């Protein structure tokens, strides 16, 4: 039972991450490869806060979001004025820098990460049981989905799509492209960091490898498999791609090579979807890059 | 020209790209409520002049005034907010948005375009949305493409796309409209329709600055014509004056005798 609760929590975390990235990639045409870095900033902020100051869940969310947004602004200010391909490369650079800091700083525990993180508390109650953590993770995913749905259905969402279609035209209509991009980038960072909080508290430990470039590529894979510009697709893809490798456990694949098989599988899916089904499983749009 | 009702003034604008001087010492005025045409052969610098006016390019020297305010050096979205609406030769529609969304995306000052307001929601935004829908539907109706309101812009025929780009331009509510070859690729019937619409627009207080290749349309439609050649202005005047100008006949209209 614990096992299924853990898988459920993982799916909720990845659904949150995928939706937050889909707003950038699918709606706005901003292909960011730094989502895992911002996710990691949220996770490290939460872990350091819990180890040194407080393990209050709400304070953790707020602090993770504040630091996550701060870092996202450092990424956004030089990157957002670049065109699509260069934006992608710039965010990859930031991903590499931030991961390297996680791995090498003393405060982040270097390559061994941080452990012995206390369980979180909410209104004085300690959240210890797996199912309680699952509920928190689900609550975050639902809030993320609902707010993403709300902003994408509003005129703001239309403006996001317009930016994806033609930035020059958007500017010619008197609307600041940079402001729109900045707003969605910050919004996305809030949820990516909050996902980091959930991750740390569900494991009560933190491994820097979880925030490697591979992780950013995995989240992009989820966006593409689910469908760029489809929030439901993001949830579906998170569920499917987390569950899929778990089925290895019931197949004759040796535990030792399971992680490699998983990487090959994800890579193959990425190639398959970009080549044969660019709208993803249930997505609306075929092409993000024009 | 009279300066009292001058809406746009270009003063000694120059722009070069590397060794190529695309626009050199270009000055002219556009009077409010008129149609002014910018003509000249390929490479004369017409589109560069447009890009300078709209802030897509920054001039090397010279100034641009909209009414009394300097707009050179402003980024494109601020120039647009100051009241200059631009149509593009290559249309630049939002292809995977519906025709109605293309128009609504141009409506200025929508509160629902703020992420915070979008999150809060509320009755006010619903009212705003209904008003925007009504405005877009009215524009699409007037442009005879109301039946396509829910189609993606990329699914429309070329003629319909041209009309839609005009609709988007009008929704932006600029007082000065910059149109880059609005009639190219249109059937003769649609060209007539376009000319009628432009006349009606100036009647409703809009001012139009036009890049146009079709000399007949220029002569028929314009109140004032500015002729460019190799980046400089070689003549300007009323259409009949320009038509009779010897330099223009030689260099642009290709009449030698």
């Amino acid at each position: 039972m614990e096992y299924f609760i853990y898988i459920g929590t993982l799916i909720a975390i990845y659904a949150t991450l995928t939706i937050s990235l889909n707003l950038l990639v699918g709606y706005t045409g901003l292909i960011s490869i730094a989502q895992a870095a911002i996710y990691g900033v949220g996770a490290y902020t939460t872990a350091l806060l819990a180890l040194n100051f407080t393990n209050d869940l709400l304070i953790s969310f707020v602090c993770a979001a504040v630091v996550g947004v701060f870092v996202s602004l450092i990424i956004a200010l030089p990157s957002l004025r670049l065109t699509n391909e260069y934006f992608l490369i710039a965010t990859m650079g930031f991903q590499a820098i931030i991961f390297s800091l996680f791995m090498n700083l003393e405060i982040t525990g270097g390559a061994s990460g941080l452990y012995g993180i206390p369980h979180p508390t909410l209104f004085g109650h300690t959240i210890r049981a797996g199912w309680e953590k699952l509920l928190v993770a689900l609550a975050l995913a639902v809030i993320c989905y609902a707010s993403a749905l709300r902003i994408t259905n509003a005129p703001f969402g239309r403006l996001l799509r317009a930016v994806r279609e033609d930035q020059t035209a958007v500017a010619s209509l008197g609307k600041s492209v940079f402001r729109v991009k900045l707003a969605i980038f910050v919004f996305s960072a809030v949820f990516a960091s909050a996902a980091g909080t959930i991750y740390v508290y569900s494991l009560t430990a933190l491994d820097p490898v979880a925030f490697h470039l591979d992780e950013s590529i995995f989240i992009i894979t989820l966006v593409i498999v689910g469908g760029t510009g489809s929030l439901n697709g993001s949830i579906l893809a998170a569920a499917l791609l987390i569950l899929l490798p778990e089925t290895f456990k019931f197949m004759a694949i040796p535990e030792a090579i399971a992680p490699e098989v998983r990487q090959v599988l994800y890579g193959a899916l990425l190639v398959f979807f970009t080549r044969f089904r660019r709208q993803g499983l249930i997505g609306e749009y075929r092409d993000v890059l024009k | 020209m009279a300066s009292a009702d001058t809406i746009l003034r270009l003063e000694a604008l120059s722009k070069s790209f590397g060794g190529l001087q695309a626009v050199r010492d270009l000055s002219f005025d556009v009077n409010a409520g008129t149609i002014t045409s910018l003509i000249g052969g390929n490479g004369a610098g017409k589109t560069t002049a447009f890009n300078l006016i709209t802030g897509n390019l920054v001039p090397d020297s010279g100034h641009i005034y909209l009414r009394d305010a300097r707009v050179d050096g402003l980024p494109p979205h601020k120039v647009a907010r100051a009241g200059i609406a631009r149509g593009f030769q290559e249309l630049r529609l939002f292809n995977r948005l519906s025709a109605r969304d293309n128009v609504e995306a141009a409506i200025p000052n929508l509160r629902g375009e703020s992420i915070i307001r979008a999150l809060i929601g509320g009755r006010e935004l619903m009212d705003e949305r209904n008003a925007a829908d009504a405005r877009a539907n009215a524009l699409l109706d007037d442009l005879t493409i109301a039946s396509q309101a829910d189609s993606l812009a990329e699914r429309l025929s070329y003629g319909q796309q041209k009309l839609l780009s005009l609709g988007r331009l009008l929704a932006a509510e600029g007082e000065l409209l910059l149109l880059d070859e609005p009639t190219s690729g249109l059937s003769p019937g649609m060209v007539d329709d376009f000319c009628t619409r432009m006349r009606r627009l100036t009647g409703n207080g809009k001012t139009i600055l036009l890049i146009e290749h079709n000399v007949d349309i220029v002569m028929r439609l314009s109140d004032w014509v500015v002729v460019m050649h190799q980046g400089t202005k070689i003549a300007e005047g009323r259409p009949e004056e320009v038509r009779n100008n010897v330099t223009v006949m030689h260099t642009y209209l290709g009449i030698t005798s």
Side-chain angles (χ1 to χ4, degrees), chain A residues 170-175, chain B residues 54 75-86 172 174:
Chain A
V170 170
S172 83
L173 300 173
K175 324 230 161 171
Chain B
T54 56
H77 71 274
K78 290 201 173 150
V79 175
R81 265 183 226 169
I84 299 180
R86 182 196 185 164

Side-chain angles (χ1 to χ4, degrees), chain A residues 228-286:
Chain A
T228 49
S230 164
L231 299 178
N232 294 331
S234 289
I235 295 173
L236 182 65
L240 287 179
L241 266 68
I242 297 293
L243 286 173
L244 198 60
E246 297 303 322
T247 60
F248 293 175
K249 297 200 170 76
F250 308 105
M251 291 192 280
I253 296 170
E255 190 115 346
I257 63 157
E260 283 71 24
V261 173
R262 199 178 62 196
Q263 285 303 327
V264 170
L265 184 72
Y266 291 155
L269 281 172
L270 196 54
V271 172
F272 174 84
F273 275 90
T274 44
R275 174 65 185 83
F276 295 108
R277 197 173 162 83
R278 238 174 272 165
Q279 69 270 45
L281 288 170
I282 52 175
E284 179 183 355
Y285 304 111
R286 291 179 54 84

Side-chain angles (χ1 to χ4, degrees), chain B residues 25-51:
Chain B
D25 202 23
L26 179 66
S27 302
F28 65 86
D29 289 359
V30 174
N31 278 355
T34 64
I35 298 179
T36 302
S37 292
L38 200 52
I39 66 171
N42 286 328
K46 308 182 298 291
T47 299
T48 303
F50 262 28
N51 282 329

Side-chain angles (χ1 to χ4, degrees), chain B residues 20-94:
Chain B
L20 176 76
Q21 182 100 42
V23 166
R24 191 183 321 161
D25 202 23
L26 179 66
S27 302
F28 65 86
D29 289 359
V30 174
N31 278 355
T34 64
I35 298 179
T36 302
S37 292
L38 200 52
I39 66 171
N42 286 328
K46 308 182 298 291
T47 299
T48 303
F50 262 28
N51 282 329
L52 290 170
I53 295 169
T54 56
N56 291 91
L57 290 174
V58 180
D60 298 334
S61 61
H63 299 301
I64 302 163
Y65 296 90
L66 181 69
R67 302 261 179 221
D68 289 323
R70 253 182 78 179
V71 294
D72 54 281
L74 292 182
H77 71 274
K78 290 201 173 150
V79 175
R81 265 183 226 169
I84 299 180
R86 182 196 185 164
F88 295 91
Q89 192 179 353
E90 65 277 26
L91 303 187
R92 289 186 171 272
L93 290 171
F94 305 127

Side-chain angles (χ1 to χ4, degrees), chain A residues 14-32 35 80 84 87 140-154 156-165 180-192 219-220 222-224 227-235 285 288, chain B residues 115 118-119:
Chain A
Y14 279 99
T16 306
L17 286 170
T18 309
I19 289 170
S20 71
L21 185 62
N22 203 345
L23 292 172
L24 302 182
V25 175
Y27 286 86
T28 323
L30 289 168
I31 305 193
S32 170
Q35 203 71 351
L80 283 181
N84 289 339
F87 174 80
L140 177 69
V142 167
I143 292 169
C144 179
Y145 178 79
S147 20
L149 196 63
R150 203 170 173 104
I151 60 168
T152 52
N153 283 336
F156 178 78
R158 180 175 60 220
L159 200 51
L160 290 182
R161 295 186 193 91
V163 165
R164 181 194 62 206
E165 296 292 305
V180 175
K181 287 180 175 177
L182 191 65
I184 199 61
F185 206 71
V186 165
F187 181 87
S188 171
V190 166
F191 284 102
I219 305 169
I220 288 250
L222 293 177
V223 170
I224 288 170
T228 49
S230 164
L231 299 178
N232 294 331
S234 289
I235 295 173
Y285 304 111
V288 175
Chain B
I115 190 168
L119 273 172

